[in-house]
Amino acid sequence: MCALVHAINQAVAFVKQRSVKMTRAEVIEFRRIADEIYNLAERSELIDILPGVPRSRNNSDNTAVPFESRLHLPGDWFDLDGNGTYWFVPARLPRWFAKMETLRMIAVLQPDDEDSVRQSS
């Protein structure tokens, strides 16, 4: 399995396990995975397929949707417990998951790094 597909699967599983809220440490870990995906997608010339930034929260509001990482995971930071500890709360996940699945399906069609090394030998 290509490294990009593996990284996409890892990111999707990570978000699914934390779809309600994430700690700062979890967001930092997600950013690490997102950077890996970004770099692998760039090398495979798939950078344009990465999830983009939605333009607004809804049709009547021009406020940009906050996001985290190079994978543009939509959501925002909230003090859910009222004690000054902020949590990242993901939003619009169905759209984000669909975009990640599209990237994954296209990445599956890409030659593995090992395959390209064997072909060039």
Side-chain angles (χ1 to χ4, degrees):
M1 180 183 303
C2 123
L4 178 55
V5 173
H6 176 73
I8 292 165
N9 290 343
Q10 185 181 8
V12 168
F14 189 91
V15 173
K16 281 184 177 179
Q17 292 172 355
R18 296 158 184 86
S19 63
V20 176
K21 63 183 180 180
M22 293 184 201
T23 64
R24 286 198 184 279
E26 289 169 331
V27 169
I28 290 168
E29 176 62 14
F30 177 76
R31 286 179 189 156
R32 185 196 63 73
I33 298 167
D35 285 346
E36 179 182 357
I37 291 170
Y38 186 91
N39 292 332
L40 290 167
E42 188 173 49
R43 277 187 256 157
S44 299
E45 298 181 0
L46 298 175
I47 205 79
D48 293 336
I49 301 169
L50 291 173
V53 181
R55 293 202 183 273
S56 66
R57 292 184 192 272
N58 60 45
N59 293 337
S60 64
D61 183 6
N62 274 345
T63 307
V65 175
F67 63 90
E68 277 297 333
S69 85
R70 290 174 141 181
L71 292 182
H72 298 107
L73 180 65
D76 209 349
W77 292 91
F78 296 97
D79 182 1
L80 298 176
D81 306 323
N83 63 5
T85 302
Y86 281 79
W87 297 83
F88 181 74
V89 179
R92 291 189 174 183
L93 288 180
R95 179 183 290 170
W96 187 83
F97 284 131
K99 195 71 170 172
M100 292 302 291
E101 180 57 23
T102 299
L103 176 61
R104 187 187 148 327
M105 289 185 326
I106 293 169
V108 165
L109 301 174
Q110 299 297 309
D112 229 351
D113 291 337
E114 293 174 13
D115 291 342
S116 59
V117 169
R118 275 184 256 154
Q119 290 174 1
S120 66
S121 302

